[in-house]
């Protein structure tokens, strides 16, 4: 028996119709010239479109990352913490009192300080009428105060309570200030009708009456009297028609009298 045809590794196969070489497959990288120019242009345009579409998202992501980092630094760390509370306009209160009322911890993130709440706490100090608070980056709060102005004093034992035009008692002093008129009443306060009545009478006095004024006494809402120098008492009655009462009382200052009743300014009596 004759030997068959010699076979090398992968040299061929016998399919019954004779021997033929076996197919061999090999991956070959196509050259640039294998892709048509039109296809290459299309693919390049597609890549550019994808890059343009992705660019806004990439920028937005970068911006958000930077914003998050800044927010963390500003809000979550002490890098921009409060190191100073500057107080402007304080005369009746001290800077220490303002800082204590503010109650801002040293190093608290400046951006997280509630300015409105801070102003409310400082505004609770009796001498403070108005307050504004601002941030001064990187590490300070600026507190600007408008303090109350006294318009009268109310005796309280051996001391004197200073009240403003709204009737707020905001200060107690051991001696009566020479430039403030004396107002006698039971309990001064912004909600006290007697306080408002007495202040209304003080506001209606003419310069001549002011110059001779000793005190205004409110024994009741319809029993207000004005004591002038020379022991002259002007019985005012209630606080209504203050301008008319002040005009009549001023016209009668030269009368030889110890009491003038202007409670009904159209019918004046004196003795």
């Amino acid at each position: 028996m004759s030997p068959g045809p010699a076979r090398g590794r992968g040299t061929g196969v016998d399919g019954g119709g004779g021997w033929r070489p076996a197919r061999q497959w090999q991956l070959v990288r196509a050259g640039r010239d294998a892709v048509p120019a039109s296809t290459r242009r299309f693919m390049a345009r597609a890549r550019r479109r994808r890059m343009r579409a992705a660019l806004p998202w990439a920028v937005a992501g970068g911006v958000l990352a930077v914003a998050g980092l800044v927010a963390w630094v500003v809000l979550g760390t002490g890098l921009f913490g409060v190191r100073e509370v500057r107080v402007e306009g304080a005369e009746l209160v001290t800077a220490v009192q303002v800082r204590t009322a503010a109650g801002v911890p040293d190093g608290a993130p400046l951006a997280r300080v509630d300015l409105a709440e801070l102003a409310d706490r400082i505004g609770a100090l009796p001498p403070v009428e108005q307050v504004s608070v601002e941030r001064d980056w990187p590490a300070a709060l600026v507190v600007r105060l408008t303090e109350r102005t006294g318009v009268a004093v109310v005796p309280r034992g051996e001391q004197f309570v200073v009240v403003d035009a709204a009737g707020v008692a905001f200060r107690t002093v051991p001696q009566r200030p020479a430039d403030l008129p004396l107002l006698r009443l039971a309990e001064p306060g912004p909600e006290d009708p007697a306080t408002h009545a007495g202040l209304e009478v003080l506001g209606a006095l003419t310069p001549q009456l002011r110059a001779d004024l000793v005190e205004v006494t409110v024994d009741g809402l319809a029993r207000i009297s004005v004591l002038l120098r020379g022991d002259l008492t002007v019985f005012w009655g209630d606080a209504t028609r203050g301008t008319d009462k002040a005009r009549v009382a001023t016209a009668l200052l030269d009368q030889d009298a110890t009491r003038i009743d202007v409670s009904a300014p159209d019918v004046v009596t004196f003795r």
Side-chain angles (χ1 to χ4, degrees):
M1 181 171 150
S2 300
R7 297 182 182 181
R9 182 184 304 173
T11 56
V13 294
D14 188 355
W19 179 90
R20 63 178 184 274
R23 293 181 179 179
Q24 293 183 339
W25 298 92
Q26 182 178 2
L27 294 176
V28 179
R29 183 181 296 276
R32 180 178 178 86
D33 293 340
V35 180
S38 60
T39 303
R40 292 199 302 271
R41 288 194 298 272
F42 174 79
M43 295 172 65
R45 286 196 297 269
R47 283 196 301 270
R48 287 195 295 271
R49 283 196 298 269
R50 288 195 297 270
M51 291 179 62
R52 284 196 297 268
L55 182 60
W57 293 100
V59 172
V63 170
L64 288 176
V66 172
L69 178 61
V70 171
W72 176 76
V73 171
V74 173
L75 297 176
T77 72
L79 184 60
F80 292 95
V82 178
R83 298 287 181 267
E84 180 186 9
V85 178
R86 293 201 300 272
V87 182
E88 300 177 1
E91 295 182 3
L92 302 178
V93 295
T94 66
V96 173
Q97 288 175 312
V98 173
R99 295 187 184 104
T100 301
V104 179
D106 187 41
L110 184 60
R112 298 181 64 178
V113 175
D114 189 328
L115 300 185
E117 181 181 349
L118 185 61
D120 288 341
R121 291 201 296 267
I122 298 173
L125 294 171
V128 176
E129 183 174 14
Q130 294 180 348
V131 58
S132 65
V133 184
E134 297 177 356
R135 295 181 179 89
D136 186 11
W137 296 96
L141 288 167
V142 181
V143 180
R144 295 183 175 89
L145 303 179
T146 300
E147 295 182 323
R148 299 184 186 277
T149 301
V151 297
V153 293
V154 179
R156 181 73 58 80
E158 295 182 355
Q159 296 182 315
F160 298 87
V161 177
V162 183
V163 299
D164 70 353
V168 176
F170 65 92
R171 189 183 179 199
T172 300
V173 294
Q175 295 182 340
R176 173 188 170 186
D179 59 334
L180 294 181
L182 192 64
L183 179 60
R184 293 188 181 275
L185 47 84
E187 188 67 33
E191 306 300 328
D192 177 47
T195 301
H196 285 286
L199 293 174
E200 189 172 347
V201 171
L202 281 172
L205 298 180
T206 62
Q208 296 91 328
L209 295 174
R210 275 270 187 175
D212 290 340
L213 179 64
V214 175
E215 64 185 33
V216 173
T217 301
V218 183
D219 290 323
L221 294 181
R223 292 186 293 124
I224 304 172
S225 59
V226 178
L227 179 62
L228 304 177
R229 282 191 304 214
D231 290 331
L232 174 59
T233 298
V234 179
F235 182 70
W236 207 268
D238 60 23
T240 63
R241 299 189 62 184
T243 301
D244 294 335
K245 294 175 182 179
R247 175 177 51 80
V248 171
T250 301
L252 297 175
L253 285 178
D254 295 334
Q255 296 293 324
D256 185 13
T258 59
R259 177 183 172 89
I260 301 174
D261 188 340
V262 296
S263 58
D266 299 326
V267 183
V268 178
T269 62
F270 58 91
R271 68 184 182 200

